[in-house]
Amino acid sequence: MELSDANLQTLTEYLKKTLDPDPAIRRPAEKFLESVEGSQNYPLLLLTLLEKSQENVIKVCASVTFKNYIKRNWRIVGILVEDEPNKICESDRIAIKANIVPLMLSSPEQIQKQLSDAISIIGREDFPQKWPDLLTEMVNRFQSGDFHVINGVLRTAHSLFKRYRHEFKSNELWTEIKLVLDAFALPLTNLFKATIELCSTHANDASALKVLFSSLILIAKLFYSLNFQDLPEFFEDNMETWMTNFHSLLTLDNKLLQTDDEEEAGLLELLKSQICDNAALYAQKYDEEFQPYLPRFVTAIWNLLVTTGQEVKYDLLVSNAIQFLASVCERPHYKHLFEDQNTLTSICEKVIVPNMEFRAADEEAFEDNSEEYIRRDLEGSDIDTRRRAACDLVRGLCKFFEGPVTGIFSGYVNSMLQEYAKNPSVNWKHKDAAIYLVTSLASKAQTQKHGITQANELVNLTEFFVNHIQPDLKSASVNEFPVLKADGIKYIMIFRNQVPKEQLLVSIPLLINHLQAESIVVHTYAAHALERLFTMRGTNNTTLITAAEMAPFVEVLLTNLFKALTLPGSSENEYIMKAIMRSFSLLQESIIPYIPSVITQLTQKLLAVSKNPSKPHFNHYMFESICLSIRITCKANPDAVGSFEEALFMVFTEILQNDVQEFIPYVFQVMSLLLEMHKNEIPSSYMALFPHLLQPVLWERTGNIPPLVRLLQAYLERGANTIASAAADKIPGLLGVFQKLIASKANDHQGFYLLNSIIEHMPPESVDQYRKQIFILLFQRLQNSKTTKFIKSFLVFINLYCVKYGALALQEIFDSIQPKMFGMVLEKIIIPEIQKVSGQVEKKICAVGITKILTECPPMMDTEYTKLWTPLLQALIGLFELPEDDTIPDEEHFIDIEDTPGYQTAFSQLAFAGKKEHDPVGQMVNNPRIHLAQSLHKLSTACPGRVPSMLSTSLNAEALQYLQGYLQAASVTLL
Amino acid sequence: MPVVNNHSERMRKFKNKGKDAAALRRQRAEVSIELRKAKKDEQILKRRSILFGLVDENLPLEEKRDEIIQLSLEEIVEAVNGSNTMLQLQATQATRRMLSRQKDPPINQIIELGIIPKLVEFLTRADNAPLQFEAAWALTNIASGTSDHTKAVVEGGAIPAFISLLSSPHMHISEQSVWALGNIAGDGPLYRDALINRNAIPPLLALVSPVTPVGFLRNITWTLSNLCRNKNPYPPLDAVKKILPVLICLIEHEDKDIISDSCWAISYLTDGSNDRIQIVVDTGILPRLVELMARPELIIMTPALRAIGNVVTGTDEQTQAAIDAGVLAVLPHLLRHAKPTIQKEAAWALSNIAAGPCWQIQQLITCGLLPPLVELLDKGDFKAQKEAVWAVANFTTGGTVEQVVELVRSGVLKPLLNLLLAKDSKTILVILDTISNLFLAAEKLGETERLCLLVEELDGLEKIEALQTHDNNMVYRAALNIIEKYFSGEETPGLQPGTGQDGLYDFSVEKQDFNF
């Protein structure tokens, strides 16, 4: 491409088309530009256009296109990568670097920004080695006196240097920084001084001040970047200049720079905020050198806090400033700056208390944006807020001054409570601040799961609770002073481990009552507090609050919880739904009388939300609640399962038909639970669904696999005979699912679950014709891509097969696939790998299976397989004597419900749909060691002398000792 | 990038836990570029002999009586190049005076006069001791300047002249030569080795005797330390072996400066590969060094600590030698020292001991190092905190589960998690790795959940969560990893069947030969 007018014209046309809203015009133009961007001069044409085009829109468009082009192409990925060619030729690169800085500086701001970005992208690759004159070029502009230009340079420098703040120390990085310091530090310092002087000469010129302060902000940011990695010699030598000026800027105020905007921070705030950061950097990293300046900064920042207003625009500044104080006051050698009683009092009074006050903005959020409010207040996403910063300062001060600080605040708390008492409706915010103050003073450590775990011993939490929290919650109107109600409820919630149980019991009806409050925050907090109280542990790993203690409140609790779901704004409130679930789990059979109404309400809710599932947590807890209703009811009355099916199947059908992907895994789990409740043969309603469950489309979604396997297992458990007789033609399809699962390393264990159920429950003749195929498939996986997980599952399966069909059948089918196959599997898989099997039931299956191979398989006694007999026995003894895995206790109440549900609906396992562990050899064998001893005894009576001789020739001494123990325990001897 | 490699290297070692812990030991100076001012507590490389006030004790007596003769630069050149010995002496003396004044000695101007060869020639005037002395002093002060200044003296041929003056019958001349040679040696490895190759060491060592005055002995010790100083390359081994026995004697002296410079010399000799460290360890000097580490004087404590710090970067056996010499008893005191650089050096040494095998870690616990380590982590200067973080990281990598439990019990978690706010990416990353190590230990004990709660209670969780938006890629990935693994509560193909006519999967397979 030549740098010709014609080309400029063409390019202009295409750029214009890329702005067209019609994709039919826009897309081809974009394609065209992409196709020519590898040509020489293309970037230079763009630069020409952004400088000289008559139309502003083309200028801007060219600058954006240029920036994106640089972003995509400047970096040379690798000279050897052929499909990533270098799209920008060397001469263009040189031309760009030669022209871009002056061009950027002379452009209007909109374009300047794009070019500045482009420079920093280029700089990231080329600076400093391949762009040695960049720094000099920039520094020279400092003398121009044109602050438009200067700010352009500063902005570019900032984007080039800011990476010093996060990169690791390295020779390469430090060489660059050293180079930058040599060229840049002195001019920057001079510019800093000059700019400050100009600020005083132009103290009355608002527009000049704005430009100058923008420069100062950028200079302060550059200072931060350049000083981040280590304290440079230059800045140590010039600390006086920088710190003195920073200090005076902190104390500076100028009416002309104050903004009317309440939300957006002004230049003055931004500058001071950055200075706080700079001071904090020095205080943290270069304490030794910064010590002489620090007290001055503490005073200045503290005065700044005292004089700064409540507006949102000051939030960042205030939060930064308080955090600075918080970090300094914890250091032992600055303790003295704070320890004076007057100082402490003044900090408490003028810095902490005002920033804990409930502001208009908080009130707005409380009412209109309660979801956000709850998230911030409850879940701790409040890191940058003033309240949080003030809270951190309290905790920092308590490190050395817990006594005095507690004393000072107690005084404040009392006076604020008195103010409130005088006129609650006007002064309720005082009480809010008092509660917040007590909370931040008392809490030393906190977790979501347990609330406050360590408290300040100087604060009497129970007394405060009884005297100031309970009265609010006891008041007749649940809707009066909603903020105070929320505070009170939160107090119970976070101090639940500090307040004695009898006080918690007193609170429960109060909390239940507040489920009716109109305020979303209040009834949400009430639900959340109940849920948390119900999960507290008492002695003996039971719940602290028992079902018996809850008996008087069951009806009102359930009524209010479900009513709360009808309050405006809470129709899908996850806290309420979680409280419902937790209540069911706690109350157990006492909810049975209410189930008919409960299940109606839950199915209606389910129907409503299935139209557009949007709250994954809510939905999850809803299904958990459904499962609990089923389990609790059917435990007492197994026949009730029919009524649940009646209530639920219609909605389930709709969900399956409409393919509501988020809910399908849940539906399968609930169906499994229902089906397992049946004691007799499988109902026909389930059989009608069976073919549909084998549809490949369902199995392509990973989230469906575990619950579907679980459901098919339930089908096999309850309906194997029905399947064999009425749906025999579907058996290949069922095995096809097994084949599909076994082919995947991720899902093979699910395939084995299915296969195990087939072997265990299907009548043998119904799968006879497929057995060989099944093994061939497994052997292929074993041969081609075996993993530990696969081997473990495989071992369990073949042993289960052996238990079910006999050892001889196992040997025969193996050897029918390939001669000597049985020996190969024993030698290469079973003997060396059996110790990997984990899980009590799994180990037991393997033990019984191997015992059968040892004692009920004639070829083991009189063929070439005989040499494997003792090694196999030794492996079995090894399996016995490995430490057992701890089993999971049957304690479901405390299971933390996972926060899994996401967009992709990965498998969302319902804790309360849990499957009981199934032991297929349970009835047959109680103690597998004794079983081995008895089986060996039986074998030895059949062929006297053989067994002891095999043992004595090759079993190792330790194993022999164990074996003798088993024999003794079984009271048998070998003949 | 080298940093990434270093890090993955460290991670690799971490995974092969216990196999090669020595690789965790960090040598001094990872980065050769410095942004900081030259360190104030380093030993001085070159020294100038300055005239303080009116009376100078170093001067020969007769000079004090003489009137001071002022000469212009032109007069100096003329006199030096002339043949009048008296004038030569006066001019040399005037030169020396100028070079000895406290402020702005005109070293460049003197060099530009081109009189250095002449001054060197004066060194050989065995018949004129005053002239020899004045020339030696002047040259000493020229050599005390920049590298270029030293170079001018060396290129003027001063090295052999000074070496032969070491054996001068006049003690003050020999002493001045020692000083001059010290300045030349201090310039760098090149001139250091030039001196060594010209056999400067034997006559220098010969000057050490029981009757050598303390002041002279100080000069000798200092010059010897410069002959041991500098890497790339290290001083030749046979030179080191010659100097060491004398250093071992000098370090027993009672004079603080002599002890200090001997310690500096030892610290240079140990600042290198393990075979260099071994030579020092073999002398049996470690107990003395540890004793000196505990001395209150900074000028002694600093180099002794550095030397021991270097020794524990060595092999497990070398580190054990330092432990046997009692280093662990002294470190607690140094970790609590008021001076940040001492804290930092002590913590660095500790971090290298913690990089050792678990029995050394056990000794570290037994000797009560955990409380001061935790204190330092909590309240130390930032430079020292960084080293303390490394110490904890190494401890959790090489320690047994029981030892890690002990570490957590001593309260390390809170200050460690607080340091996640540090303004240093590397430190943050090391802490995150340490947290992972702690979780691995917790997993073995089945205490993962407890550790999760503890981390959350100490406000660590929110800090780790916040790091998921850190600009440094490795930091953010490490944080993400911990959150996903321990705090999210989330858990997480050729034999594919075809589809048959009924739309279901087709169950079929072709047989092949198996061989496992």
Side-chain angles (χ1 to χ4, degrees), chain A residues 603 606-607 609-611 613 622-623 626 648-668 701:
Chain A
T603 39
L606 175 57
L607 195 62
V609 297
S610 66
K611 305 276 184 270
M622 178 177 58
F623 278 105
I626 292 172
L648 291 166
F649 270 19
M650 222 178 58
V651 196
F652 284 1
T653 313
E654 205 164 313
I655 289 169
L656 292 175
Q657 276 171 356
N658 294 334
D659 194 23
V660 185
Q661 295 190 20
E662 293 88 338
F663 284 0
I664 288 178
Y666 290 120
V667 167
F668 290 148
R701 283 187 218 139

mmCIF file of all heavy atoms in Angstrom, chain A residues 603 606-607 609-611 613 622-623 626 648-668 701:
data_model
loop_
_atom_site.group_PDB
_atom_site.id
_atom_site.type_symbol
_atom_site.label_atom_id
_atom_site.label_comp_id
_atom_site.label_asym_id
_atom_site.label_seq_id
_atom_site.Cartn_x
_atom_site.Cartn_y
_atom_site.Cartn_z
ATOM 1 N N THR A 603 -44.657 -27.101 45.365
ATOM 2 C CA THR A 603 -44.832 -27.433 43.939
ATOM 3 C C THR A 603 -45.283 -26.201 43.159
ATOM 4 O O THR A 603 -44.846 -25.999 42.022
ATOM 5 C CB THR A 603 -45.861 -28.568 43.733
ATOM 6 O OG1 THR A 603 -46.927 -28.403 44.640
ATOM 7 C CG2 THR A 603 -45.221 -29.916 43.921
ATOM 8 N N LEU A 606 -42.279 -24.285 42.572
ATOM 9 C CA LEU A 606 -41.466 -24.968 41.569
ATOM 10 C C LEU A 606 -41.994 -24.698 40.170
ATOM 11 O O LEU A 606 -41.230 -24.374 39.243
ATOM 12 C CB LEU A 606 -41.463 -26.469 41.878
ATOM 13 C CG LEU A 606 -40.760 -27.398 40.891
ATOM 14 C CD1 LEU A 606 -39.308 -26.989 40.700
ATOM 15 C CD2 LEU A 606 -40.820 -28.842 41.389
ATOM 16 N N LEU A 607 -43.282 -24.791 40.050
ATOM 17 C CA LEU A 607 -43.901 -24.537 38.751
ATOM 18 C C LEU A 607 -43.614 -23.110 38.292
ATOM 19 O O LEU A 607 -43.248 -22.868 37.144
ATOM 20 C CB LEU A 607 -45.417 -24.759 38.875
ATOM 21 C CG LEU A 607 -46.187 -24.881 37.569
ATOM 22 C CD1 LEU A 607 -45.690 -26.083 36.780
ATOM 23 C CD2 LEU A 607 -47.687 -25.024 37.863
ATOM 24 N N VAL A 609 -41.129 -20.982 39.263
ATOM 25 C CA VAL A 609 -39.740 -20.628 38.935
ATOM 26 C C VAL A 609 -39.204 -21.424 37.753
ATOM 27 O O VAL A 609 -38.246 -21.000 37.108
ATOM 28 C CB VAL A 609 -38.778 -20.784 40.133
ATOM 29 C CG1 VAL A 609 -39.153 -19.836 41.247
ATOM 30 C CG2 VAL A 609 -38.723 -22.215 40.623
ATOM 31 N N SER A 610 -39.845 -22.564 37.432
ATOM 32 C CA SER A 610 -39.322 -23.352 36.312
ATOM 33 C C SER A 610 -39.551 -22.645 34.977
ATOM 34 O O SER A 610 -38.936 -22.986 33.973
ATOM 35 C CB SER A 610 -39.939 -24.755 36.292
ATOM 36 O OG SER A 610 -41.307 -24.662 36.014
ATOM 37 N N LYS A 611 -40.401 -21.641 34.981
ATOM 38 C CA LYS A 611 -40.589 -20.862 33.744
ATOM 39 C C LYS A 611 -39.295 -20.134 33.384
ATOM 40 O O LYS A 611 -38.991 -19.932 32.218
ATOM 41 C CB LYS A 611 -41.702 -19.821 33.934
ATOM 42 C CG LYS A 611 -43.027 -20.406 34.394
ATOM 43 C CD LYS A 611 -43.849 -20.935 33.224
ATOM 44 C CE LYS A 611 -45.200 -21.414 33.690
ATOM 45 N NZ LYS A 611 -45.176 -22.855 34.078
ATOM 46 N N PRO A 613 -35.734 -20.156 35.486
ATOM 47 C CA PRO A 613 -34.917 -20.326 36.689
ATOM 48 C C PRO A 613 -33.803 -19.280 36.721
ATOM 49 O O PRO A 613 -33.035 -19.182 35.765
ATOM 50 C CB PRO A 613 -34.298 -21.722 36.523
ATOM 51 C CG PRO A 613 -35.038 -22.350 35.398
ATOM 52 C CD PRO A 613 -35.561 -21.255 34.542
ATOM 53 N N MET A 622 -34.820 -25.239 47.407
ATOM 54 C CA MET A 622 -36.203 -25.668 47.199
ATOM 55 C C MET A 622 -36.243 -27.183 46.971
ATOM 56 O O MET A 622 -37.046 -27.896 47.574
ATOM 57 C CB MET A 622 -36.774 -24.915 46.000
ATOM 58 C CG MET A 622 -38.186 -25.304 45.641
ATOM 59 S SD MET A 622 -38.754 -24.278 44.293
ATOM 60 C CE MET A 622 -37.532 -24.648 43.055
ATOM 61 N N PHE A 623 -35.351 -27.678 46.127
ATOM 62 C CA PHE A 623 -35.330 -29.127 45.884
ATOM 63 C C PHE A 623 -34.897 -29.897 47.133
ATOM 64 O O PHE A 623 -35.416 -30.964 47.422
ATOM 65 C CB PHE A 623 -34.423 -29.462 44.701
ATOM 66 C CG PHE A 623 -35.097 -29.277 43.375
ATOM 67 C CD1 PHE A 623 -34.812 -28.198 42.562
ATOM 68 C CD2 PHE A 623 -36.049 -30.199 42.924
ATOM 69 C CE1 PHE A 623 -35.446 -28.026 41.342
ATOM 70 C CE2 PHE A 623 -36.683 -30.033 41.705
ATOM 71 C CZ PHE A 623 -36.381 -28.946 40.902
ATOM 72 N N ILE A 626 -37.907 -30.198 49.204
ATOM 73 C CA ILE A 626 -38.819 -31.228 48.684
ATOM 74 C C ILE A 626 -38.325 -32.610 49.120
ATOM 75 O O ILE A 626 -39.095 -33.447 49.604
ATOM 76 C CB ILE A 626 -38.917 -31.127 47.140
ATOM 77 C CG1 ILE A 626 -39.637 -29.828 46.762
ATOM 78 C CG2 ILE A 626 -39.643 -32.341 46.558
ATOM 79 C CD1 ILE A 626 -39.632 -29.522 45.267
ATOM 80 N N LEU A 648 -46.125 -34.231 42.544
ATOM 81 C CA LEU A 648 -44.929 -33.737 41.856
ATOM 82 C C LEU A 648 -44.832 -34.105 40.375
ATOM 83 O O LEU A 648 -44.243 -33.364 39.581
ATOM 84 C CB LEU A 648 -43.672 -34.256 42.571
ATOM 85 C CG LEU A 648 -43.428 -33.673 43.961
ATOM 86 C CD1 LEU A 648 -42.383 -34.490 44.722
ATOM 87 C CD2 LEU A 648 -42.971 -32.214 43.850
ATOM 88 N N PHE A 649 -45.373 -35.260 39.996
ATOM 89 C CA PHE A 649 -45.088 -35.754 38.649
ATOM 90 C C PHE A 649 -45.541 -34.822 37.544
ATOM 91 O O PHE A 649 -44.919 -34.737 36.490
ATOM 92 C CB PHE A 649 -45.677 -37.159 38.463
ATOM 93 C CG PHE A 649 -44.688 -38.241 38.861
ATOM 94 C CD1 PHE A 649 -43.612 -37.931 39.680
ATOM 95 C CD2 PHE A 649 -44.820 -39.548 38.410
ATOM 96 C CE1 PHE A 649 -42.704 -38.895 40.059
ATOM 97 C CE2 PHE A 649 -43.891 -40.525 38.773
ATOM 98 C CZ PHE A 649 -42.844 -40.195 39.606
ATOM 99 N N MET A 650 -46.643 -34.117 37.809
ATOM 100 C CA MET A 650 -47.110 -33.224 36.760
ATOM 101 C C MET A 650 -46.069 -32.133 36.465
ATOM 102 O O MET A 650 -45.738 -31.868 35.318
ATOM 103 C CB MET A 650 -48.428 -32.593 37.176
ATOM 104 C CG MET A 650 -49.419 -32.543 36.053
ATOM 105 S SD MET A 650 -50.946 -31.834 36.644
ATOM 106 C CE MET A 650 -50.425 -30.251 37.239
ATOM 107 N N VAL A 651 -45.577 -31.538 37.527
ATOM 108 C CA VAL A 651 -44.561 -30.490 37.343
ATOM 109 C C VAL A 651 -43.294 -31.085 36.732
ATOM 110 O O VAL A 651 -42.677 -30.502 35.828
ATOM 111 C CB VAL A 651 -44.191 -29.833 38.686
ATOM 112 C CG1 VAL A 651 -43.458 -28.539 38.444
ATOM 113 C CG2 VAL A 651 -45.423 -29.594 39.529
ATOM 114 N N PHE A 652 -42.915 -32.269 37.215
ATOM 115 C CA PHE A 652 -41.704 -32.910 36.690
ATOM 116 C C PHE A 652 -41.829 -33.146 35.185
ATOM 117 O O PHE A 652 -40.903 -32.900 34.418
ATOM 118 C CB PHE A 652 -41.452 -34.241 37.406
ATOM 119 C CG PHE A 652 -40.879 -34.084 38.803
ATOM 120 C CD1 PHE A 652 -40.646 -32.827 39.338
ATOM 121 C CD2 PHE A 652 -40.567 -35.195 39.570
ATOM 122 C CE1 PHE A 652 -40.126 -32.681 40.611
ATOM 123 C CE2 PHE A 652 -40.029 -35.055 40.846
ATOM 124 C CZ PHE A 652 -39.828 -33.800 41.371
ATOM 125 N N THR A 653 -43.002 -33.655 34.794
ATOM 126 C CA THR A 653 -43.213 -33.919 33.373
ATOM 127 C C THR A 653 -43.034 -32.632 32.570
ATOM 128 O O THR A 653 -42.387 -32.616 31.522
ATOM 129 C CB THR A 653 -44.635 -34.473 33.140
ATOM 130 O OG1 THR A 653 -44.868 -35.497 34.097
ATOM 131 C CG2 THR A 653 -44.786 -35.032 31.745
ATOM 132 N N GLU A 654 -43.596 -31.577 33.121
ATOM 133 C CA GLU A 654 -43.483 -30.309 32.397
ATOM 134 C C GLU A 654 -42.022 -29.879 32.279
ATOM 135 O O GLU A 654 -41.574 -29.415 31.239
ATOM 136 C CB GLU A 654 -44.285 -29.249 33.134
ATOM 137 C CG GLU A 654 -44.707 -28.147 32.184
ATOM 138 C CD GLU A 654 -45.813 -27.282 32.779
ATOM 139 O OE1 GLU A 654 -46.782 -27.872 33.299
ATOM 140 O OE2 GLU A 654 -45.678 -26.062 32.723
ATOM 141 N N ILE A 655 -41.285 -30.056 33.368
ATOM 142 C CA ILE A 655 -39.866 -29.671 33.358
ATOM 143 C C ILE A 655 -39.101 -30.506 32.326
ATOM 144 O O ILE A 655 -38.306 -29.985 31.529
ATOM 145 C CB ILE A 655 -39.248 -29.856 34.759
ATOM 146 C CG1 ILE A 655 -39.803 -28.784 35.706
ATOM 147 C CG2 ILE A 655 -37.734 -29.781 34.714
ATOM 148 C CD1 ILE A 655 -39.469 -29.010 37.165
ATOM 149 N N LEU A 656 -39.378 -31.818 32.296
ATOM 150 C CA LEU A 656 -38.678 -32.684 31.341
ATOM 151 C C LEU A 656 -39.080 -32.340 29.911
ATOM 152 O O LEU A 656 -38.238 -32.269 29.015
ATOM 153 C CB LEU A 656 -38.974 -34.160 31.648
ATOM 154 C CG LEU A 656 -38.381 -34.684 32.964
ATOM 155 C CD1 LEU A 656 -38.842 -36.109 33.236
ATOM 156 C CD2 LEU A 656 -36.860 -34.619 32.943
ATOM 157 N N GLN A 657 -40.387 -32.107 29.719
ATOM 158 C CA GLN A 657 -40.847 -31.802 28.356
ATOM 159 C C GLN A 657 -40.285 -30.477 27.855
ATOM 160 O O GLN A 657 -39.901 -30.345 26.700
ATOM 161 C CB GLN A 657 -42.377 -31.770 28.315
ATOM 162 C CG GLN A 657 -42.952 -33.164 28.153
ATOM 163 C CD GLN A 657 -44.447 -33.188 28.328
ATOM 164 O OE1 GLN A 657 -45.074 -32.176 28.654
ATOM 165 N NE2 GLN A 657 -45.038 -34.357 28.103
ATOM 166 N N ASN A 658 -40.257 -29.506 28.738
ATOM 167 C CA ASN A 658 -39.745 -28.199 28.311
ATOM 168 C C ASN A 658 -38.220 -28.137 28.382
ATOM 169 O O ASN A 658 -37.629 -27.092 28.111
ATOM 170 C CB ASN A 658 -40.315 -27.092 29.193
ATOM 171 C CG ASN A 658 -41.808 -26.956 28.998
ATOM 172 O OD1 ASN A 658 -42.329 -27.307 27.942
ATOM 173 N ND2 ASN A 658 -42.492 -26.502 30.014
ATOM 174 N N ASP A 659 -37.628 -29.261 28.757
ATOM 175 C CA ASP A 659 -36.176 -29.344 28.835
ATOM 176 C C ASP A 659 -35.578 -28.184 29.645
ATOM 177 O O ASP A 659 -34.700 -27.452 29.175
ATOM 178 C CB ASP A 659 -35.572 -29.378 27.414
ATOM 179 C CG ASP A 659 -34.117 -29.810 27.447
ATOM 180 O OD1 ASP A 659 -33.722 -30.485 28.422
ATOM 181 O OD2 ASP A 659 -33.376 -29.462 26.513
ATOM 182 N N VAL A 660 -36.070 -28.015 30.862
ATOM 183 C CA VAL A 660 -35.519 -26.977 31.739
ATOM 184 C C VAL A 660 -34.203 -27.515 32.300
ATOM 185 O O VAL A 660 -34.167 -28.201 33.324
ATOM 186 C CB VAL A 660 -36.500 -26.640 32.884
ATOM 187 C CG1 VAL A 660 -35.956 -25.479 33.717
ATOM 188 C CG2 VAL A 660 -37.869 -26.313 32.338
ATOM 189 N N GLN A 661 -33.122 -27.204 31.593
ATOM 190 C CA GLN A 661 -31.838 -27.853 31.885
ATOM 191 C C GLN A 661 -31.378 -27.703 33.318
ATOM 192 O O GLN A 661 -30.796 -28.624 33.894
ATOM 193 C CB GLN A 661 -30.771 -27.305 30.953
ATOM 194 C CG GLN A 661 -31.052 -27.664 29.515
ATOM 195 C CD GLN A 661 -29.877 -27.342 28.626
ATOM 196 O OE1 GLN A 661 -28.753 -27.197 29.095
ATOM 197 N NE2 GLN A 661 -30.136 -27.245 27.338
ATOM 198 N N GLU A 662 -31.632 -26.538 33.914
ATOM 199 C CA GLU A 662 -31.172 -26.298 35.283
ATOM 200 C C GLU A 662 -31.829 -27.270 36.262
ATOM 201 O O GLU A 662 -31.251 -27.599 37.302
ATOM 202 C CB GLU A 662 -31.512 -24.873 35.731
ATOM 203 C CG GLU A 662 -30.760 -23.782 35.000
ATOM 204 C CD GLU A 662 -31.472 -23.339 33.726
ATOM 205 O OE1 GLU A 662 -32.292 -24.123 33.182
ATOM 206 O OE2 GLU A 662 -31.214 -22.225 33.272
ATOM 207 N N PHE A 663 -33.048 -27.692 35.944
ATOM 208 C CA PHE A 663 -33.799 -28.475 36.930
ATOM 209 C C PHE A 663 -33.734 -29.981 36.704
ATOM 210 O O PHE A 663 -34.033 -30.757 37.607
ATOM 211 C CB PHE A 663 -35.275 -28.035 36.932
ATOM 212 C CG PHE A 663 -35.489 -26.712 37.630
ATOM 213 C CD1 PHE A 663 -34.430 -26.026 38.191
ATOM 214 C CD2 PHE A 663 -36.768 -26.160 37.734
ATOM 215 C CE1 PHE A 663 -34.620 -24.810 38.836
ATOM 216 C CE2 PHE A 663 -36.965 -24.942 38.380
ATOM 217 C CZ PHE A 663 -35.896 -24.274 38.929
ATOM 218 N N ILE A 664 -33.377 -30.394 35.496
ATOM 219 C CA ILE A 664 -33.450 -31.815 35.182
ATOM 220 C C ILE A 664 -32.615 -32.679 36.144
ATOM 221 O O ILE A 664 -33.109 -33.676 36.665
ATOM 222 C CB ILE A 664 -33.107 -32.056 33.693
ATOM 223 C CG1 ILE A 664 -34.295 -31.534 32.864
ATOM 224 C CG2 ILE A 664 -32.845 -33.520 33.405
ATOM 225 C CD1 ILE A 664 -34.111 -31.639 31.374
ATOM 226 N N PRO A 665 -31.386 -32.289 36.447
ATOM 227 C CA PRO A 665 -30.639 -33.126 37.392
ATOM 228 C C PRO A 665 -31.335 -33.246 38.749
ATOM 229 O O PRO A 665 -31.280 -34.292 39.398
ATOM 230 C CB PRO A 665 -29.305 -32.384 37.558
ATOM 231 C CG PRO A 665 -29.186 -31.539 36.345
ATOM 232 C CD PRO A 665 -30.582 -31.166 35.951
ATOM 233 N N TYR A 666 -31.995 -32.182 39.165
ATOM 234 C CA TYR A 666 -32.714 -32.244 40.443
ATOM 235 C C TYR A 666 -33.899 -33.213 40.357
ATOM 236 O O TYR A 666 -34.153 -34.006 41.260
ATOM 237 C CB TYR A 666 -33.244 -30.857 40.819
ATOM 238 C CG TYR A 666 -32.169 -29.862 41.199
ATOM 239 C CD1 TYR A 666 -31.997 -28.684 40.489
ATOM 240 C CD2 TYR A 666 -31.335 -30.096 42.290
ATOM 241 C CE1 TYR A 666 -31.024 -27.758 40.853
ATOM 242 C CE2 TYR A 666 -30.361 -29.181 42.661
ATOM 243 C CZ TYR A 666 -30.209 -28.005 41.936
ATOM 244 O OH TYR A 666 -29.251 -27.100 42.306
ATOM 245 N N VAL A 667 -34.630 -33.104 39.243
ATOM 246 C CA VAL A 667 -35.807 -33.952 39.066
ATOM 247 C C VAL A 667 -35.397 -35.429 39.144
ATOM 248 O O VAL A 667 -36.041 -36.238 39.802
ATOM 249 C CB VAL A 667 -36.495 -33.626 37.736
ATOM 250 C CG1 VAL A 667 -37.521 -34.684 37.383
ATOM 251 C CG2 VAL A 667 -37.151 -32.250 37.820
ATOM 252 N N PHE A 668 -34.301 -35.780 38.482
ATOM 253 C CA PHE A 668 -33.850 -37.181 38.508
ATOM 254 C C PHE A 668 -33.532 -37.621 39.930
ATOM 255 O O PHE A 668 -33.807 -38.752 40.327
ATOM 256 C CB PHE A 668 -32.603 -37.365 37.639
ATOM 257 C CG PHE A 668 -32.891 -37.232 36.163
ATOM 258 C CD1 PHE A 668 -31.930 -36.720 35.299
ATOM 259 C CD2 PHE A 668 -34.114 -37.623 35.631
ATOM 260 C CE1 PHE A 668 -32.189 -36.598 33.942
ATOM 261 C CE2 PHE A 668 -34.376 -37.494 34.281
ATOM 262 C CZ PHE A 668 -33.406 -36.982 33.426
ATOM 263 N N ARG A 701 -25.146 -34.254 28.377
ATOM 264 C CA ARG A 701 -24.931 -33.166 29.351
ATOM 265 C C ARG A 701 -24.318 -33.745 30.614
ATOM 266 O O ARG A 701 -24.908 -34.572 31.295
ATOM 267 C CB ARG A 701 -26.261 -32.501 29.710
ATOM 268 C CG ARG A 701 -26.742 -31.578 28.641
ATOM 269 C CD ARG A 701 -27.973 -30.827 29.133
ATOM 270 N NE ARG A 701 -28.921 -30.679 28.053
ATOM 271 C CZ ARG A 701 -30.234 -30.828 28.183
ATOM 272 N NH1 ARG A 701 -30.742 -31.153 29.359
ATOM 273 N NH2 ARG A 701 -31.012 -30.663 27.157
#
